[in-house]
Amino acid sequence: MGKIKNIVVLTGAGISAESGIRTFRDTGGLWEDHSIEEVATPQGYAANPELVLRFYNARRAQLGTVKPNPAHFALARLEKSLLSKGGYLTIVTQNVDDLHERGGAENVIHMHGELLSQWCRACDHKFRSDAAFTLSSTCAKCEGVGKIRPDIVWFGEMPYRMDTIETTILNCDLFVSVGTSGAVYPAAGYVQMARGLGKQTLEINLERSEGSHFFHESRLGKAGELVPQWVEETLRQAGT
Ligand code: NAD
């Protein structure tokens, strides 16, 4: 690969697996024993809001029991190094956990929302909280009752900050995908966009993703081992 200054890394549930957060697809389309339809769609929420709030309360509480792993720390190291050389690393994550931030990364786009962000549907107010919410929780801003939902982008909803994501891919030299099955669009389509723009592309995943053939290179194995190795290589090439 030539001189790399700007990098976009797309991450998925696989990067957090070694921290102890279960992925969707490795458990046969279930996430912590619930179907995607039950807990990750607007229809699921309409059918059983108590269950959905309980599910995300449990996921939020789980954050306190897990820690970033070497893959999260390595990406944060790479971000600092590229920044000091006038480049950038943008992490576009499909994950709703906060492990990239706790690993030290700052330039993180949560395209599918965040467990620690809540959204009042009555007044559109979004606020950060690690508390548990129920159908009788009250919005601190508008005092509406029972209108707070997790600030999570469910299947069928529009991911966040798509314009910014596309601009960072347009301006990058290398697009890397880590720990994602390549089954959820639009994230799964970013590799094709990057290829179409003439960017270098690399995937790091336990197994070949669905869009594996779009990548110039695939490295198969655990993110906690392969991401730090790749970051060291990249830092050496960048002369840092
Ligand atoms: P996914 O479950 O569909 O795919 C995970 C991929 O990671 C698989 O291809 C698997 O082989 C790979 N993988 C598993 N362990 C790995 C490891 N140790 N190292 C490297 N790769 C590993 O997840 P996805 O592609 O992110 O898409 C599904 C959706 O799941 C996302 O929208 C996301 O919001 C949601 N989700 C998020 C979390 C989280 O925030 N941590 C957890 C579960 C699901």
Side-chain angles (χ1 to χ4, degrees):
M1 283 180 200
K3 193 89 176 153
I4 301 293
K5 196 170 161 216
N6 299 323
I7 301 178
V8 174
V9 177
L10 172 70
T11 66
I15 199 168
S16 297
E18 288 158 76
S19 293
I21 300 183
R22 277 158 69 190
T23 66
F24 264 156
R25 272 152 237 281
D26 294 339
T27 51
L30 297 179
W31 187 11
E32 301 287 353
D33 303 325
H34 290 280
S35 75
I36 292 169
E37 290 72 23
E38 255 183 319
V39 296
T41 63
Q43 294 79 3
Y45 183 60
N48 194 345
E50 289 95 345
L51 169 80
V52 175
L53 290 180
R54 252 196 336 268
F55 175 81
Y56 288 99
N57 286 340
R59 304 281 70 72
R60 202 171 303 119
Q62 186 190 30
L63 290 182
T65 69
V66 297
K67 292 194 175 98
N69 67 56
H72 298 105
F73 288 120
L75 290 182
R77 204 156 62 239
L78 183 59
E79 179 191 315
K80 280 184 188 60
S81 169
L82 291 177
L83 206 57
S84 73
K85 298 193 149 335
Y88 66 75
L89 171 72
T90 300
I91 298 172
V92 176
T93 188
Q94 300 166 86
N95 294 346
V96 295
D97 64 52
D98 63 343
L99 294 178
H100 283 302
E101 288 85 350
R102 282 202 270 145
E106 289 181 10
N107 190 15
V108 185
I109 298 177
H110 281 272
M111 66 181 293
H112 290 167
E114 293 177 77
L115 283 169
L116 293 175
S117 178
Q118 318 306 325
W119 181 12
C120 174
R121 298 299 288 123
C123 68
D124 213 25
H125 178 53
K126 290 190 176 182
F127 57 99
R128 299 195 73 78
S129 172
D130 60 5
F133 289 86
T134 66
L135 284 178
S136 48
S137 295
T138 305
C139 171
K141 192 168 179 210
C142 75
E143 298 182 356
V145 176
K147 297 290 185 191
I148 297 169
R149 63 162 267 185
D151 187 12
I152 303 285
V153 177
W154 287 324
F155 286 91
E157 298 181 327
M158 190 65 84
Y160 296 149
R161 301 184 63 191
M162 304 238 308
D163 288 352
T164 310
I165 295 169
E166 287 173 18
T167 304
T168 52
I169 294 174
L170 184 67
N171 293 316
C172 80
D173 305 303
L174 171 65
F175 173 84
V176 184
S177 167
V178 180
T180 173
S181 57
V184 179
Y185 281 81
Y190 288 147
V191 61
Q192 284 157 272
M193 179 188 301
R195 276 305 287 264
L197 290 163
K199 313 300 182 183
Q200 285 296 312
T201 53
L202 164 69
E203 87 168 330
I204 297 174
N205 209 41
L206 208 51
E207 61 198 2
R208 287 193 178 277
S209 65
E210 289 189 20
S212 188
H213 52 285
F214 290 117
F215 289 88
H216 289 100
E217 189 189 354
S218 294
R219 298 187 184 186
L220 303 183
K222 289 186 171 178
E225 292 163 13
L226 295 188
V227 172
Q229 275 170 26
W230 165 71
V231 165
E232 288 316 312
E233 261 172 53
T234 307
L235 293 178
R236 269 200 307 277
Q237 279 171 12
T240 51

